[in-house]
Every structure is written in C-alpha cells, then in structure tokens.
C-alpha cells in the first residue's frame, strides 16, 4: 500500500511553491524534507550491492552523478563509497576497462571516473578516462562534425546523445589540459545537433539521419524523425546548461548556445500542462488518447528553466512560474511507500525512435534510474 506524501507543509508551499532564486521566494525551508537524500538512501537500500544496479551504462551513470551532487552538498561518506564500489566493478587495478566505446551512451558514466580521480587521487581512474577520451579521435561523425549516435547508426544524430558524451569531454578537457579541443568539439556538436533537430515550435525532433535511410523513416526533405519525444529534448536541454556553466564567457559559440536554450524555453512554456506542471511523453500531443505525463523529462525541463532563469539567460516571470509549476508537478510524483522508502512514478523506460503508438506505449516505470537521476540533478539545484 502506498500513501501520497503530504508535500505542501514539508515544502512550505502555502500560497505557492517557494524556490530559491525565483521571484516570490526566500522563505525559510527548515521544515522541508530532503528529497534528494531520501531518493539516494532509498535506492541504496533497494540495491545495497552497487553491482545490482546493473552494468556500465548511462542510466547508472546518471543516477550516480546525481548521487554525487548530493554528496557534494551533504558530505555523506557512504554516497561516495557506493559510487566508487560501482565503478570499481568496471575498472581493473591497472585502470583498464574491458569494453569498447562504439556508442555515445557508453561514454556517459565516464563522468564518474573524473570525479573519483579528483576525490581519491587514484590514477587508475584517470587511465580509464583516457581510454574514453582516446575514442573521440576516430569516433565516426557526419560531414559537418556531429558524432553518430552509435557506430551502427550511420550518420544518425539523436537528441538523446549529446548528454552522453559532451559534458564528459568538456570536464576531461578542463581537468587535464585539453581545453582547446574540448571547447571546439563540444560546442560544434551542440551546434550541429541543434541545427538539424530544431523545429519551429520551440522543440527538437527526436532524431536526424543525414542519409535518409534509417528504419524509422526520416522525412524526405529534412531527414528528421516525425515526433517530439520528451526525454530526448530533455537530455539536450540539460546538456546546454552543463556546457554553458563550464564554457568561457567569451567563447564564440556561447551566444548560439544561449539562443538554443531560449528556443527550448519557449517550447517548454508553450506545451507545459497547466493542470499538473509536467510535460507529455510526446510533447505537443496533449489531446491524443494514450499520451501521458512523464516525470524524467519534466525534471529535465524544470532544471533548464530554473538554471537559465538564474543565470539571466531567460527574462520574465513566465519562465520562473513555469519552473515553479514544473517543480511542484514533479514532486507530486514523489511518494513514500509503506516500508518508508521514497519512490518516483511515471518514468518512461528506455526508448528508441518510433511512431506515436510506440511512444505512447512505453512502460510507465516507478524508480527507473532515468527518472531518479534526472530528479536528483533537478532537486539539487532547486531545493537549495
């Protein structure tokens, strides 16, 4: 039996959700529950052996990156130890990883190698990170420089993919004296991806195929897929925030990336469900039978709106209000189970490019790591 967590009093909502850094905020939050800690503690309780989370992959990397952000705030040693134990299942004593990096998804967990090298000083984590960095040299790209989603997906760019490789590459470059390459490669990929996937409604198509022969039937004129899948857009939104926060103020592509954020913000504002504050699985099809409101993408969109507003890249109360609605809407999907563990519901399972029926039919999971990781990244920004 599950009971709905009573969030209003714990969050000090009263007449409206209070967010630090947004208009109408600034009230004390001493009574608020620490939902980030609750999510990390509950997941560790469900998977006491980090190996049981699963193998090397981006969903585990996303959740553990979120757990690290919580560790940075609260200093709980067990969080860092848990991350280290998971990574150590994949890195041997010499820093070697027995895997190839033939898709962008496989690179995302490399962020954990960088943070562990910084936290522990153990050089084998740097050696493992070097293995991923070396793959960029000959990783296949489109003629205009966009990294393929996978080596088996020739000339395909998926909006999901930029978060998997580009923040890692930029962090690596900043940490190890490889900045010039990282700045150029990362910003070029974001530019190329966005240019091909951008739609006039403020959203991004899920994928683009330069050859036009992908099995998901690209548009003959544009090479894009047909629909606007929520989480794919969310990955791109989060990537822009992370990259802009690391990019020099005078970088020549900085203004372009901020313009991309503004494009997405207009779309997020346009398609946010006013009743719940969340966004639909297929973003622009709210009235379609079978469409449903998805939590991981809603966390990602809320994160972008809030961060962009804080940085001054967005102006006007409409964006701040959308972030408040989004945060409230995501928290509405947080529950405490009878066993005292925290859960988050309505998270889409992993998803490829497909038609409407395919997107609508994705499983609505509870505690899927896509959603837990996205929640932690969002909550660590908004619940300060």
């Amino acid at each position: 039996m599950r009971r709905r967590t009573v969030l209003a009093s714990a969050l000090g909502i009263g007449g409206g959700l209070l967010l630090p850094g947004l208009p109408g905020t600034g009230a004390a939050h001493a009574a608020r529950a620490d939902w980030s800690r609750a999510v990390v503690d509950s997941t560790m309780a469900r998977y006491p052996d980090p190996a049981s989370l699963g193998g090397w992959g981006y969903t585990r990397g996303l959740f553990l990156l979120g757990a690290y952000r919580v560790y940075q705030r609260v200093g709980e040693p067990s969080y860092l130890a848990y991350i280290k134990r998971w990574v150590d299942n994949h890195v041997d004593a010499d820093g070697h990883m027995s895997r190839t990096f033939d898709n962008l998804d496989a690179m995302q967990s490399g962020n954990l190698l960088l943070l562990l090298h910084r936290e522990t000083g153990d050089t084998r984590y740097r050696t493992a990170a070097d293995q991923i960095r070396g793959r960029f040299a000959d990783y296949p790209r489109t003629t205009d420089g966009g990294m393929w989603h996978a080596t088996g997906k020739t000339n395909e760019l998926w909006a999901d993919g930029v978060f998997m490789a580009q923040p890692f590459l930029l962090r690596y470059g900043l940490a190890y004296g490889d900045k010039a390459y990282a700045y150029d490669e990362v910003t070029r990929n974001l530019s190329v991806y966005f240019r091909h996937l951008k739609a006039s409604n403020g959203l991004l198509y899920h994928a683009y195929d330069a050859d036009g022969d992908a099995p998901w039937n690209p548009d003959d004129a544009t090479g894009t897929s047909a629909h606007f899948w929520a989480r794919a857009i969310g990955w791109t939104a989060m990537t822009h925030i992370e990259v802009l926060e690391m990019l020099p103020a005078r970088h020549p592509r900085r203004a372009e990336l901020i313009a991309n954020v503004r494009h997405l913000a207009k779309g997020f504002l346009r398609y946010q469900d006013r009743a719940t504050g969340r966004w639909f699985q297929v973003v622009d099809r709210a009235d379609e039978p079978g469409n449903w409101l998805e939590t991981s993408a809603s966390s990602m969109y809320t994160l972008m709106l809030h961060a962009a507003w804080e940085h001054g890249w967005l102006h006007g109360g409409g964006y701040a209000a959308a972030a408040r609605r989004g945060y409230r809407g995501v928290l509405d999907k947080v529950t405490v189970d009878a066993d005292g563990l925290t859960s988050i519901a309505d998270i889409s399972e992993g998803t490829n490019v497909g038609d409407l029926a395919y997107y609508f039919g994705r499983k609505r999971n509870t505690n899927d790591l896509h959603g837990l990781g996205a929640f932690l990244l969002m909550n660590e920004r908004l619940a300060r």
Side-chain angles (χ1 to χ4, degrees), residues 126 133 170-182:
R126 163 72 191 272
R133 168 62 182 86
L170 188 48
R171 290 191 180 100
Y172 180 100
L174 293 172
Y176 303 130
D178 198 17
K179 291 189 290 188
Y181 174 84

Side-chain angles (χ1 to χ4, degrees), residues 5-312:
T5 305
V6 181
L7 295 172
S9 60
L11 288 165
I13 291 174
L17 184 62
L18 301 175
L19 299 184
L22 293 177
T25 68
H29 299 283
R32 179 170 55 199
D34 190 332
W35 294 113
S36 290
R37 292 201 72 161
V39 167
V40 176
D41 291 343
S42 297
T43 306
M44 290 172 58
R46 293 182 178 107
Y47 303 97
D49 179 0
S52 63
L53 276 180
W56 183 269
Y58 73 92
T59 57
R60 275 73 74 187
L62 176 70
F63 167 74
L64 294 172
L65 179 62
Y68 179 71
R69 298 272 170 88
V70 185
Y71 166 77
Q72 288 181 298
R73 175 172 60 84
V74 305
E76 172 52 55
S78 65
Y79 294 176
L80 185 63
Y82 191 87
I83 296 166
K84 185 177 184 300
R85 286 171 59 201
W86 184 82
V87 171
D88 286 348
N89 288 322
H90 306 286
V91 178
D92 69 20
D94 297 319
H96 179 71
M97 302 179 70
S98 298
R99 65 187 61 256
T100 57
F101 296 94
D102 291 334
N103 58 76
L104 300 183
D105 290 351
M107 299 177 181
Q108 194 280 332
S109 295
N111 289 287
L112 305 178
L113 303 171
L114 303 178
L115 66 87
L116 285 174
H117 184 218
R118 183 176 65 244
E119 292 284 350
T120 69
D122 190 334
T123 58
R124 66 194 181 93
Y125 298 120
R126 163 72 191 272
T127 300
D130 289 345
Q131 190 174 336
I132 301 176
R133 168 62 182 86
R135 185 66 178 93
F136 284 89
D138 61 356
Y139 191 86
R141 293 163 172 80
T142 58
T143 56
D144 50 359
M147 296 179 185
W148 299 359
H149 191 68
T151 57
K153 298 186 184 300
T154 305
N155 279 318
E156 292 185 39
L157 309 179
W158 293 20
D160 322 39
V162 289
F163 189 85
M164 307 307 166
Q166 307 312 324
F168 164 80
L169 180 57
L170 188 48
R171 290 191 180 100
Y172 180 100
L174 293 172
Y176 303 130
D178 198 17
K179 291 189 290 188
Y181 174 84
Y183 288 151
D184 184 63
E185 191 67 41
V186 168
T187 58
R188 178 173 54 250
N189 267 273
L190 288 180
S191 177
V192 168
Y193 268 71
F194 212 92
R195 184 169 66 251
H196 288 303
L197 298 172
K198 182 179 179 180
S200 60
N201 61 359
L203 301 176
L204 300 175
Y205 292 101
H206 190 169
Y208 162 80
D209 177 30
D211 297 330
D213 60 358
W216 37 266
N217 297 320
D219 183 272
D220 290 338
T222 65
T224 59
S225 56
H227 302 296
F228 305 105
W229 180 55
R231 193 163 63 223
I233 303 168
W235 288 121
T236 299
M238 288 203 305
T239 306
H240 275 72
I241 296 301
E242 296 219 347
V243 168
L244 281 165
E245 289 179 341
M246 293 185 276
L247 203 63
R250 296 184 179 275
H251 190 277
R253 280 203 174 104
R254 186 175 183 83
E256 178 185 354
L257 300 189
I258 292 173
N260 292 348
V261 169
R262 291 170 176 162
H263 171 86
L264 292 176
K266 290 177 182 177
F268 295 171
L269 200 61
R270 177 179 182 181
Y271 291 109
Q272 185 178 36
D273 180 59
R274 291 301 190 270
T276 67
R278 296 187 296 277
W279 285 266
F280 280 89
Q281 173 82 328
V282 179
V283 185
D284 65 329
R285 299 296 189 96
D287 297 330
E288 290 276 351
N291 204 0
W292 51 280
L293 295 158
E294 203 279 330
T295 308
S296 67
S298 296
S299 296
M300 295 171 175
Y301 294 9
T302 300
L303 181 160
M304 192 208 81
L305 288 169
H306 172 73
W309 194 93
E310 272 201 327
H311 283 296

Side-chain angles (χ1 to χ4, degrees), residues 308-374:
W309 194 93
E310 272 201 327
H311 283 296
W313 304 329
L314 299 175
H315 304 283
Y319 295 116
R324 286 195 294 270
R325 287 192 299 269
Y327 192 45
R328 182 188 293 114
V330 171
L331 290 175
D332 282 344
K333 305 310 294 183
V334 179
T335 58
V336 177
D337 301 333
D339 57 7
L341 299 183
T342 298
S343 289
I344 302 178
D346 288 348
I347 303 163
S348 175
E349 64 182 324
T351 299
N352 293 314
V353 185
D355 59 17
L356 281 179
Y358 171 78
Y359 291 123
F360 294 169
R362 305 312 288 156
K363 291 180 182 176
R364 301 169 67 159
N365 289 336
T366 297
N367 296 329
D368 188 299
L369 294 179
H370 291 93
L372 299 187

